[in-house]
Amino acid sequence: MFTPASASNKVIGFWQSVGVPARGASLYEALHTGLPFEVYSNLAKVSGIEKSELASATVIASATLQRRAKAGKFNRDESDRLYRFAEVYKSALDLFEGEGDDATRWLRNPVRGLGNKRPIDMLSTSAETEAVLNLIGRLEHGVFA
């Protein structure tokens, strides 16, 4: 049986699995101080997206990844881009009722509502990310125009 508490636990469970606070002051602090490097691997694992594709989607160069692995955390801008990816993936996961393969497939394929662009290619800026999230919201509510 679905309850608001179970929905809340699912949301928190997703964010715990990627190693990011779900919301609030702890999220903001984590983004400002830099997400732990493990978040990158966790996001790749949870989403089924190859690490190289995740790096491309979040605009993090391989040399930067190597430096961040040694440092143990990302800087603020990189953390924000990783968070945006996680937010979009979680929204797609919700759209496809928890079916991770379907959510990943949707992210990787051109979408008419995004001008035939792939959602995963539209995560490098906040404006494009917002467009993807808005489309997901419209699809969830049956608003296609």
Side-chain angles (χ1 to χ4, degrees):
M1 178 176 166
F2 175 82
T3 65
S6 68
S8 178
N9 288 339
K10 277 179 105 172
V11 168
I12 291 170
F14 169 81
W15 292 107
Q16 283 178 338
S17 70
V18 296
V20 176
R23 59 179 68 93
S26 57
L27 169 63
Y28 312 142
E29 180 66 22
L31 292 174
H32 277 275
T33 60
L35 293 174
F37 185 78
E38 300 81 45
V39 168
Y40 175 72
S41 297
N42 295 345
L43 277 173
K45 182 178 178 182
V46 167
S47 68
I49 300 285
E50 294 290 327
K51 288 182 179 180
S52 60
E53 190 174 10
L54 179 57
S56 177
T58 56
V59 194
I60 302 174
S62 59
T64 301
L65 282 172
Q66 291 173 357
R67 286 193 308 276
R68 299 305 179 243
K70 288 178 185 172
K73 69 178 188 172
F74 290 95
N75 70 25
R76 183 183 350 192
D77 292 335
E78 296 152 355
S79 296
D80 187 52
R81 291 193 301 269
L82 287 165
Y83 174 75
R84 286 197 306 248
F85 173 85
E87 186 178 27
V88 166
Y89 179 74
K90 174 67 172 105
S91 295
L93 192 60
D94 292 345
L95 176 65
F96 289 97
E97 299 177 351
E99 294 294 329
D101 291 343
D102 292 341
T104 300
R105 190 175 308 108
W106 185 82
L107 287 173
R108 286 181 166 152
N109 285 292
V111 174
R112 186 183 318 171
L114 297 172
N116 289 319
K117 291 184 179 180
R118 298 179 339 142
I120 198 165
D121 295 333
M122 296 185 64
L123 304 179
S124 61
T125 68
S126 58
E128 289 174 306
T129 302
E130 188 176 323
V132 174
L133 290 169
N134 285 340
L135 176 62
I136 291 171
R138 290 194 318 267
L139 292 170
E140 283 183 324
H141 293 95
V143 180
F144 300 106

